[in-house]
Amino acid sequence: MGEVTALGYLGFYATDLAAWRTWGTDLLGMQVADAPSEASGEALFLRMDERGWRLAVEPAENDGLAYTGWEVADPAALERLGNDLADAGVKAVEDPALARRRNVEQLVRCADPDGNELEFFCGAYIPEQPFVSPLGVTFVTGDFGLGHILQNVADAGAAKRFYLDVLGFRLSDIIEFGPNRVHFARVNPRHHSLAFVEVADEPPSLGHFMVEVADLDTVGRALDRVNAGMARLTETLGKHTNDHMVSFYMRNPSGSQTEYGCAGRIVDEANWKINTYSATAYWGHKVPGSEYSADGPVSPRVPA
Ligand SMILES: [Fe+2]
């Protein structure tokens, strides 16, 4: 239980690799990486830190999340995690060929209750060449992993059983969002690496992924680039109630959203208490253009 230590990498399918490349480098400040030697030659790999890559984008007929890489400490932890999955009746497979393609030492894959491809791995590759952001951006990663994801799930109960009970993710808090309850779960001191919400009539999908940068000026400069037309702003700058992230949201080239923020809350594991919040933001995080209506202010918000 509780073997996962970080959100290690994300893979996407994309119809427009060139758009991903421009968006990832010129807007977010990531660096194009050398592809792992056994990876598909056409995929785009992006670096955020010393790791060989953090995001992989593979050409495909449709856009969407391809796989989520969850990191564990070492082969013994991976074996324990595999046993936990087997005990819970989840079919998990060790895949050495896939590990080589991802450039990791060892990898076990399975599907979550919605069929999302999960890859548990240890032994990420760190090349000799340092990370150099084309925009001078410093991403907050390290022990905190690359950021977080929010998944729309078909059955919140099934997601809780799988992620909290089987994988041992720790519940940080809950936000009540209209009739919905968003669960936020952590695997390290980052407030959450995974959030999930069951929304009626919303099929299982990636809602957004978040990357955190070192300071507010970096967030502001990226927001300037979005406002200049490099991406569509989907939520204005705001501060989340639960993880305190000061961030904005934009559409990414695969059609889901990306949150770009700073100043995320760090969990003090020994003293943490679960709260339930009635709103996602203290301020901001509005859908652009919808702050006011004829009936007065409205504040549509989407989950943190
Ligand atoms: Fe978020």
Side-chain angles (χ1 to χ4, degrees):
M1 292 275 288
E3 302 298 343
V4 172
T5 60
L7 176 61
Y9 59 74
L10 291 172
F12 290 87
Y13 295 126
T15 53
D16 190 345
L17 236 62
W20 260 96
R21 186 185 180 102
T22 302
W23 180 81
T25 57
D26 295 351
L27 207 175
L28 272 61
M30 296 177 182
Q31 179 186 15
V32 174
D34 294 334
S37 56
E38 298 208 23
S40 155
E42 294 182 15
L44 169 71
F45 291 87
L46 294 168
R47 293 182 77 180
M48 298 171 60
D49 56 12
E50 66 175 1
R51 291 284 173 88
W53 64 279
R54 288 288 195 175
L55 299 183
V57 188
E58 303 190 7
E61 302 274 307
N62 296 297
D63 290 293
L65 182 66
Y67 47 86
T68 303
W70 292 107
E71 185 165 11
V72 305
D74 53 31
L78 198 57
E79 186 175 347
R80 288 193 296 273
L81 186 146
N83 292 337
D84 291 341
L85 289 169
D87 290 348
V90 178
K91 186 172 180 291
V93 180
E94 177 157 12
D95 193 334
L98 190 58
R100 286 193 292 276
R101 292 216 301 276
R102 302 285 188 255
N103 220 358
V104 298
E105 187 62 29
Q106 222 171 310
L107 186 152
V108 169
R109 61 179 167 79
C110 76
D112 80 358
D114 287 314
N116 294 303
E117 289 289 328
L118 306 186
E119 299 176 2
F120 303 96
F121 73 94
C122 63
Y125 177 69
I126 296 176
E128 179 185 5
Q129 298 80 7
F131 167 67
V132 181
S133 165
L135 300 172
V137 170
T138 300
F139 292 97
V140 177
T141 57
D143 291 344
F144 293 77
L146 77 83
H148 70 234
I149 57 173
L150 180 142
Q151 293 277 21
N152 295 306
V153 299
D155 179 345
K160 282 168 73 172
R161 284 191 293 278
F162 181 77
Y163 284 103
L164 304 183
D165 299 344
V166 177
L167 292 179
F169 287 24
R170 302 181 289 286
L171 184 66
S172 292
D173 43 43
I174 293 163
I175 296 181
E176 292 181 339
F177 179 68
N180 308 310
R181 288 163 63 80
V182 192
H183 289 75
F184 297 82
R186 68 186 181 279
V187 294
N188 58 46
R190 186 187 289 287
H191 174 275
H192 62 281
S193 293
L194 172 73
F196 55 87
V197 58
E198 176 187 334
V199 179
D201 301 326
E202 185 82 33
S205 61
L206 177 69
H208 71 263
F209 74 95
M210 187 275 314
V211 293
E212 184 176 2
V213 295
D215 57 64
L216 184 61
D217 291 342
T218 304
V219 176
R221 290 187 193 109
L223 183 56
D224 276 354
R225 291 190 287 277
V226 170
N227 287 333
M230 288 186 68
R232 183 161 68 81
L233 186 72
T234 51
E235 276 191 57
T236 59
L237 189 70
K239 180 176 178 179
H240 280 306
T241 51
N242 62 340
D243 75 349
H244 297 178
M245 195 74 71
V246 177
S247 59
F248 68 87
Y249 290 65
M250 72 193 109
R251 189 181 158 91
N252 64 47
S254 284
S256 54
Q257 294 184 61
T258 295
E259 180 182 4
Y260 198 84
C262 68
R265 191 177 193 176
I266 295 171
V267 167
D268 172 5
E269 195 68 42
N271 296 300
W272 188 257
K273 295 177 185 64
I274 293 168
N275 291 303
T276 301
Y277 294 87
S278 66
T280 62
Y282 287 125
W283 53 269
H285 286 155
K286 308 278 196 339
V287 175
S290 64
E291 290 89 338
Y292 297 96
S293 76
D295 299 325
V298 293
S299 56
R301 289 181 176 131
V302 300

